[in-house]
Amino acid sequence: MIQAPRGTFDVLPEEAARREFVESQARDILGAAGYRRIETPTFEATVLFARGVGEATDIVQKEMYTFDDGGGRSLTLRPEGTAPVCRAYIEHGMHKLPQPVKLWYLSSFFRSEAPQKGRYRQFWQVGAEAIGSAGAATDAELIVLLNDLLAALSVKDVRLRLSSLGNPETRSAYRDELTAYLRAHEDRLSPEVRARIDLNPMRAFDATDPRTRETMRDAPKLLDRLDEEDAEHFAQVRTLLDDAGVRYELDPTLVRGLDYYTRTLFEFTSEALGAQSGVAGGGRYDRLIEQLDGPPTPASGWAAGVERMLLAAADLPVRPALVDLFVARADGDLAGARTAFELAHDARRAGLAAQLELAGRSLKGQLKHADRIGARYVAIVADAGHASLKDMESGDQRELEPTDVIPVILRGSRLS
Ligand code: HAM
């Protein structure tokens, strides 16, 4: 039997309805703040992610689906959306538009990770990017919008962790300081952390090994090393979040698996998720556009995992689909079949939700099916000139001409 590839899943109709709710909430919340939809290709030149996300990251080192396009060009299924959106910003000269350019997306992404609950090889994100503003208000607004989205979806037990990475220069000096600290305490670190001291020393804060964790408690923290402007920027973000009543915890050891971040960095987690507790994350990325050969352009954004939001969400108010009319067939001739077909079509053109019997059931079976799908009315077509209409709520049934079915229903639904 052929099955969906490992780490992927089908979105079946019931789940699709929950996802439509996510999409409509994202559209309403982000749309009201002036974010406009963007979609970029599913695959991009590999170099976009190598340069954008960072050569040393797990994503680029281990998780990308990279292939040759047959003509010697290396392409990669997008593992994330920020680098592609920046590529599009540069490619379409969006720096000429009024800034910031505020964009959102709902797209699928691909990472070759070990699948588990909440972690897939193809997954969906709602993302928002504000490109062309350096202001703290942009960061705070983005976080407020994300907070609103999570609340609208009733994502349970949400925590927000917040930090600032400063700029690449202070960060590099800090990195040296941290590396020296790690070297000085090498004998107390786990082999994995030791092996990564030069590649990615910040990852040491992520370690689960108890001795490593204890050692890291006294390690120098980046938040204490921010320069004056970055510290001021961060203080403003915090003030705006405080004013907005958004609760957060400062986490000076917060690290995220992407290299483009500068200044503000944040992550929403949900206790309801277990191991893969990251629901959404983002931050400022003031150097990325330049790194991709665009004009120096500050920017900020986030992405939220659709599957993780849904896993951590309470029951969503998904309404069952309405069926105004089910068109049934009494045993009859071809003319009756054509009349029934036409009636269902006309009903839909008149704005009704109408379904036609397509399975050759007996009349009794058709009425049972109509009841099962919650049809409000059933029209039973006998032939071109004869039909009856059954009100499934009252049980009343009357004979009428097929052409009268739609007007009667429209009048009826207006009355009720
Ligand atoms: P990220 O933290 O890598 O950030 O991913 C954002 C969210 O996508 C995660 O919090 C998680 O909910 C979901 N996610 C990530 N990997 C998987 C997976 N394998 N299976 C299921 N869900 C997953 C980014 O992607 C950045 N582009 C966010 C950003 C936008 N930063 C600035 N702008």
Side-chain angles (χ1 to χ4, degrees), residues 80 82 111 113 118 120 125 129 256 260-261 278-280 301-302 305:
E80 65 98 49
T82 308
R111 295 182 194 175
E113 299 188 79
Y120 310 99
Q125 288 181 348
E129 316 285 354
R256 298 190 16 80
Y260 46 63
Y261 292 116
V279 183
W302 51 254

Side-chain angles (χ1 to χ4, degrees), residues 322-326 347 351-355 374-378 409 413:
L322 284 179
V323 183
D324 299 308
L325 173 65
F326 184 77
L352 297 171
Q355 294 187 29
R376 179 71 179 79
Y377 292 95
V378 180
I409 294 177
S413 50

Side-chain angles (χ1 to χ4, degrees), residues 31-206:
Y35 283 75
R36 297 170 70 209
R37 183 90 178 241
I38 184 168
E39 288 299 334
T40 59
T42 304
F43 50 83
E44 296 271 0
T46 301
V47 62
L48 173 64
F49 302 112
R51 262 211 267 161
V53 173
E55 291 282 5
T57 60
D58 277 357
I59 292 180
V60 172
Q61 296 247 311
K62 300 189 231 165
E63 295 171 1
M64 297 209 299
Y65 287 100
T66 296
F67 56 97
D68 188 297
D69 72 347
R73 281 167 294 262
S74 179
L75 298 176
T76 292
L77 296 183
R78 56 184 174 196
E80 65 98 49
T82 308
V85 166
C86 290
R87 197 260 314 130
Y89 177 93
I90 298 166
E91 187 170 332
H92 300 285
M94 290 192 223
H95 63 280
K96 291 183 212 124
L97 300 175
Q99 305 291 301
V101 176
K102 295 181 284 186
L103 302 165
W104 79 277
Y105 49 87
L106 171 54
S107 326
S108 61
F109 297 92
F110 306 84
R111 295 182 194 175
S112 173
E113 299 188 79
Q116 63 180 81
K117 189 180 161 207
R119 190 162 78 198
Y120 310 99
R121 291 181 170 175
Q122 179 179 11
F123 57 97
W124 271 256
Q125 288 181 348
V126 174
E129 316 285 354
I131 306 178
S133 161
T138 306
D139 303 22
E141 184 173 73
L142 276 160
I143 293 172
V144 166
L145 292 169
L146 177 51
N147 194 55
D148 287 350
L149 177 64
L150 297 176
L153 299 177
S154 338
V155 176
K156 291 178 288 190
D157 308 326
V158 178
R159 281 173 55 191
L160 167 59
R161 292 185 300 152
L162 182 69
S163 188
S164 173
L165 291 177
N167 61 63
E169 293 72 36
T170 49
R171 201 161 144 200
S172 155
Y174 166 75
R175 195 186 152 114
D176 292 345
E177 187 187 351
L178 178 63
T179 307
Y181 178 88
L182 295 174
R183 288 262 173 258
H185 298 81
E186 217 164 334
D187 55 326
R188 302 183 55 82
L189 302 175
S190 71
E192 299 85 62
V193 169
R194 223 179 303 148
R196 285 178 146 270
I197 290 182
D198 289 316
L199 196 60
N200 201 345
M202 283 291 277
R203 288 296 291 271
F205 289 111
D206 262 357

Side-chain angles (χ1 to χ4, degrees), residues 292-415:
L292 298 173
D293 299 329
T297 311
S300 190
W302 51 254
V306 171
E307 293 75 30
R308 292 194 193 167
M309 287 193 290
L310 286 171
L311 277 170
D315 288 341
L316 296 180
V318 174
R319 268 181 291 130
L322 284 179
V323 183
D324 299 308
L325 173 65
F326 184 77
V327 181
R329 294 285 327 284
D331 289 336
D333 53 9
L334 178 64
R338 292 173 62 183
T339 302
F341 188 89
E342 209 179 339
L343 175 56
H345 187 202
D346 287 346
R348 289 189 289 262
R349 278 197 297 208
L352 297 171
Q355 294 187 29
L356 179 68
E357 165 63 15
L358 295 172
R361 295 177 182 86
S362 68
L363 184 55
K364 199 173 146 205
Q366 293 179 62
L367 286 165
K368 212 168 126 189
H369 181 65
D371 188 48
R372 191 165 44 215
I373 63 173
R376 179 71 179 79
Y377 292 95
V378 180
I380 304 159
V381 176
D383 57 42
H386 294 89
S388 59
L389 186 65
K390 182 168 178 166
D391 182 331
M392 297 294 277
E393 251 168 42
S394 64
D396 294 346
Q397 188 165 340
R398 60 186 269 204
E399 306 273 317
L400 37 54
E401 292 197 12
T403 48
D404 287 335
V405 166
I406 295 168
V408 167
I409 294 177
L410 288 175
R411 260 201 311 281
S413 50
R414 224 174 283 135
L415 286 176

